[in-house]
Amino acid sequence: MASMGIDIGFFQETKLMRNIYTCCFGEYSMVATEAVSAAQGGVALFWKETDSFEVEEVVKRGPNVISFELVTGRNCFYIVGAYIPPSDFDAIDEVEKAWQQCPKGCLPMLIGDLNVDLELPADDERGVAIAEQIDAMDLVCMTQHFHQRRRRRVRGRSTWRMRRQGKWVSSKPDYFLGRATTREKFKRVSIRLP
């Protein structure tokens, strides 16, 4: 993360069990949830101590959800980080419970791997339920509005690809969601791949 210039972020599907993980590494601190199994689940929040922001009130909310307050100067963001496994119906309820705990005056955001394409949710009960919940939270995908290299916008870009039976299958399960008015608070945001 340091070599990529990343000061704060989430690891998804960490698969960490029995709270065995490194809490501090270099300049970074980390808090992780305990996954349901060693094969799937879990999220971890990592951050670097800096003068630009402060991480406060970190709360583990089940095996796949973490919430915290990010204080940056005059702004306070309430961020929910989530991993919703493809076979899980309960994680969206954990996200909703965390969302309801947003302190007054904080700008709420949801970041994570939802395992659903919100623009084209599958016709299954799970995909529709997640898309409806995101809509009820009044969230928009903020990644579409950030210019990347060569001044291109990230429209329709997949964040997951896999070769299956000789064909490439892609989707956009990873999201950086916030209220439409929150988008203007962010400048010079870029998507980086390790």
Side-chain angles (χ1 to χ4, degrees):
M1 297 300 111
S3 66
M4 292 173 41
I6 297 174
D7 292 341
I8 187 169
F10 283 104
F11 292 124
Q12 303 293 327
E13 200 168 357
T14 57
K15 303 174 187 170
L16 297 171
M17 302 289 294
R18 297 181 297 280
N19 286 323
I20 300 172
Y21 65 91
T22 303
C23 296
C24 296
F25 51 100
E27 301 173 296
Y28 291 88
S29 298
M30 186 166 88
V31 174
T33 63
E34 186 171 335
V36 175
S37 77
Q40 185 180 58
V43 293
L45 166 68
F46 69 90
W47 71 96
K48 180 178 176 180
E49 298 297 331
T50 175
D51 293 335
S52 302
F53 62 84
E54 244 185 81
V55 172
E56 299 177 350
E57 304 296 327
V58 179
V59 179
K60 300 177 193 178
R61 301 182 180 274
N64 295 311
V65 179
I66 290 180
S67 67
F68 71 99
E69 292 177 36
L70 178 68
V71 180
T72 61
R74 293 185 210 157
N75 297 311
C76 181
F77 299 93
Y78 178 74
I79 300 176
V80 177
Y83 169 70
I84 303 178
S87 60
D88 192 350
F89 287 92
D90 298 329
I92 193 65
D93 294 332
E94 298 286 338
V95 169
E96 173 61 23
K97 288 176 190 172
W99 194 257
Q100 296 301 324
Q101 300 300 313
C102 180
K104 190 173 182 177
C106 285
L107 300 168
M109 300 177 72
L110 174 61
I111 300 172
D113 182 353
L114 309 182
N115 275 306
V116 66
D117 188 338
L118 293 176
E119 293 176 14
L120 299 168
D123 290 332
D124 64 343
E125 181 182 332
R126 179 190 170 278
V128 171
I130 292 172
E132 286 176 352
Q133 184 62 46
I134 298 303
D135 190 46
M137 295 160 97
D138 193 27
L139 297 174
V140 295
C141 182
M142 294 178 41
T143 55
Q144 297 175 353
H145 304 283
F146 299 140
H147 286 285
Q148 300 301 309
R149 290 183 182 162
R150 300 187 197 136
R151 314 285 283 160
R152 293 183 189 160
R153 289 188 181 263
V154 184
R155 293 201 187 274
R157 180 180 287 180
S158 61
T159 57
W160 174 84
R161 260 177 34 143
M162 181 180 212
R163 195 163 179 86
R164 286 188 183 157
Q165 299 173 349
K167 294 182 181 180
W168 282 103
V169 179
S170 64
S171 182
K172 186 178 181 218
D174 305 306
Y175 286 93
F176 186 72
L177 303 163
R179 300 266 162 84
T181 55
T182 305
R183 185 177 58 226
E184 66 196 33
K185 306 280 185 195
F186 290 85
K187 309 286 186 216
R188 294 184 304 255
V189 175
S190 65
I191 294 173
R192 298 183 184 186
L193 300 174

